[in-house]
């Protein structure tokens, strides 16, 4: 556990990520505000009272879209009346498709992240800013999933049929730490996804050439997400680093490092953004912090997933089986 995977070595470091620079996430703050926030971080007393490694309250609602094969809504930093914070909804829909010629034994994953237009009301060019942020978030999640999701498990019949998963994410509001919240929403949606069991039909020549749907909903199959990571972003502020940064803290950060960590503690990707170089001597410390934070977050996400699975077992009629691809 904790060792970089092949996916993280291929991914390398991306220093051009617009998601950590754009108007939606950046906060315009006076120099005195930034200095006050930076001093607080260095003294381990953040503006909202948290320690450097404290996460805000995490709320997870699974199965919020019964017409999808899997869905989840994740909110970080929700206020006392249930509003605000960074709020993302992820949904998974599946359809059968012909595998690509270069990968006849694999399925597909298509990720799309869409941020609400209201998040860009202060941008000089709202449409371009929103398009750039959406593209960067989608690409970041695509990179994390392409090296971690077991695409072979999505193959139904070699060279003929495979599942294509559409993962759509909507970001409703932001109070910082968008990428991490999006990644947790995607992980939670995938953890609750159930696909209909397909039984191969043997042709006269003795090999399968078609399939039939198992109508028993209790046989719906979960996805293999053993290696699917979530993102943990560490913001370097002054001489220290924080997790789950608020907007003002993101404005103070000279460098940000987003680390993809799966449930086993393996690192699946490292992405850097910011105007300052990151000393190599700090990397082990940051990776260790990301691993510990991810472990705590996974405990909460898995508890929510188990509760969702229990409810689905009590009400199997709520499982989406044929919606979207057989109708």
């Amino acid at each position: 556990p904790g060792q970089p995977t092949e996916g993280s070595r291929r991914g390398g470091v991306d220093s051009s990520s617009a998601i950590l620079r754009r108007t939606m996430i950046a906060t315009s703050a006076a120099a005195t505000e930034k200095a006050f926030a930076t001093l607080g971080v260095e003294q381990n007393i953040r503006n909202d009272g948290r320690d450097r490694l404290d996460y805000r309250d995490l709320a997870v609602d699974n199965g919020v879209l019964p017409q999808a094969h899997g869905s989840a809504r994740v909110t970080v930093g929700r206020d006392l009346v249930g509003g605000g914070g960074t709020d993302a909804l992820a949904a998974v829909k599946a359809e059968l498709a012909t595998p690509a010629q270069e990968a006849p034994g694999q399925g597909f994953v298509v990720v799309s992240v869409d941020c609400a237009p209201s998040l860009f009301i202060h941008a000089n060019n709202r449409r371009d800013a929103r398009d750039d942020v959406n593209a960067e978030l989608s690409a970041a999640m695509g990179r994390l999933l392409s090296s971690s999701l077991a695409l072979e498990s999505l193959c139904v019949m070699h060279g003929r049929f495979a599942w294509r998963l559409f993962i759509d994410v909507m970001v409703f509001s932001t109070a910082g730490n968008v990428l991490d919240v999006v990644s947790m929403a995607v992980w939670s949606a995938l953890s609750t996804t159930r696909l209909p069991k397909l039984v191969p039909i043997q042709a006269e020549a003795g090999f399968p050439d078609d399939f039939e749907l198992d109508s028993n909903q209790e046989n719906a199959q979960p996805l293999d997400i053993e290696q699917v990571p979530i993102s943990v972003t560490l913001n370097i502020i002054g001489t220290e680093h924080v997790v789950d940064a608020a907007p003002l803290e993101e404005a103070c950060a000279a460098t940000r490092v987003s680390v993809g960590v799966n449930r086993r503690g393996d690192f699946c990707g490292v992405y850097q953004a910011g105007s300052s170089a990151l000393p190599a001597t700090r990397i082990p410390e940051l990776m260790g912090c990301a691993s510990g934070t991810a472990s705590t977050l996974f405990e909460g996400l898995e508890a929510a997933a188990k509760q969702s699975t229990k409810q689905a077992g009590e009400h199997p009629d709520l499982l989406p089986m044929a919606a979207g691809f057989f109708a």
Side-chain angles (χ1 to χ4, degrees):
Q3 297 301 313
T5 64
E6 184 64 25
S8 67
R9 289 192 288 267
R10 288 198 304 268
V13 176
D14 181 1
S15 61
S16 63
S17 179
I19 62 175
L20 299 173
R21 304 196 308 267
R22 287 292 180 175
T23 304
M24 180 187 73
I25 299 174
T27 297
S28 176
T32 53
E33 290 181 287
K34 292 182 179 181
F36 182 80
T38 300
L39 181 61
V41 167
E42 292 179 342
Q43 295 181 348
N44 203 22
I45 305 175
R46 298 162 73 174
N47 280 9
D48 55 10
R50 289 182 290 156
D51 292 345
R52 287 190 290 264
L53 303 185
D54 283 348
Y55 232 84
R56 289 170 290 183
D57 290 341
L58 172 67
V60 182
D61 298 312
N62 287 327
V64 293
L65 297 176
Q67 70 272 28
H69 292 86
S71 62
R73 187 169 186 171
V74 173
T75 307
V76 168
R78 184 181 293 173
D79 58 33
L80 295 178
V81 296
T86 299
D87 186 9
L89 171 66
V92 180
K93 295 292 290 284
E95 69 175 22
L96 286 169
T98 302
Q101 292 184 351
E102 61 273 17
Q106 296 183 352
F108 311 86
V109 177
V110 181
V111 184
S112 176
V113 181
D114 188 18
C115 298
S118 60
L119 302 180
F120 300 88
I121 57 176
H122 299 297
N124 293 329
N125 191 324
R126 299 181 188 180
R127 178 172 297 179
D128 288 349
R130 182 180 178 221
D131 289 345
D132 286 349
V133 171
N134 290 344
E136 286 292 332
L137 284 169
S138 300
M141 288 308 307
R143 285 192 297 266
L144 285 177
L145 293 176
S146 64
S147 61
S148 59
L149 191 61
L151 298 180
E152 296 81 4
S153 66
L154 299 178
C155 181
V156 176
M157 194 174 299
H158 192 275
R160 297 204 59 191
F161 301 108
W163 289 111
R164 178 187 284 125
L165 301 182
F166 293 94
I167 303 175
D168 296 305
V169 185
M170 183 68 187
V171 180
F172 298 110
S173 63
T174 176
N177 203 23
V178 175
L179 177 59
D180 294 7
V181 176
V182 166
S183 74
M184 287 188 283
V186 169
W187 188 93
S188 297
L190 290 172
S191 73
T192 60
T193 296
R194 299 293 183 270
L195 299 178
K197 182 178 180 180
L198 303 178
V199 182
I201 299 177
Q202 299 292 326
E204 293 182 359
F207 58 86
D209 68 345
D210 206 343
F211 63 86
E212 64 181 8
L213 173 67
D214 186 342
S215 60
N216 187 347
Q217 296 181 348
E218 294 183 356
N219 292 334
Q221 299 173 322
L223 296 177
D224 180 3
I225 62 168
E226 177 70 18
Q227 299 185 48
V228 174
I230 60 173
S231 170
V232 177
T233 299
L234 301 111
N235 288 256
I236 313 301
I237 301 175
T239 60
E240 303 294 341
H241 59 269
V242 301
V243 299
D244 185 26
L248 177 58
E249 293 171 332
E250 290 182 334
C252 296
T255 303
R256 302 172 183 86
V257 178
S258 296
V259 184
V261 187
N262 64 22
R263 190 63 185 93
R264 301 186 304 183
D266 298 326
F267 301 121
C268 305
V270 181
Y271 310 100
Q272 180 184 346
S275 57
S276 300
L278 181 67
T281 54
R282 295 205 64 177
I283 293 179
E285 177 189 7
L286 296 177
M287 301 290 271
C289 176
S291 179
T293 300
S295 177
T296 301
L297 292 173
F298 271 121
E299 291 179 2
L301 296 175
E302 288 186 329
K306 290 179 180 178
Q307 180 64 25
S308 176
T309 302
K310 178 182 178 181
Q311 292 174 351
E314 295 172 350
H315 305 282
D317 55 305
L318 297 180
L319 285 173
M321 295 295 293
F325 54 87
F326 286 120

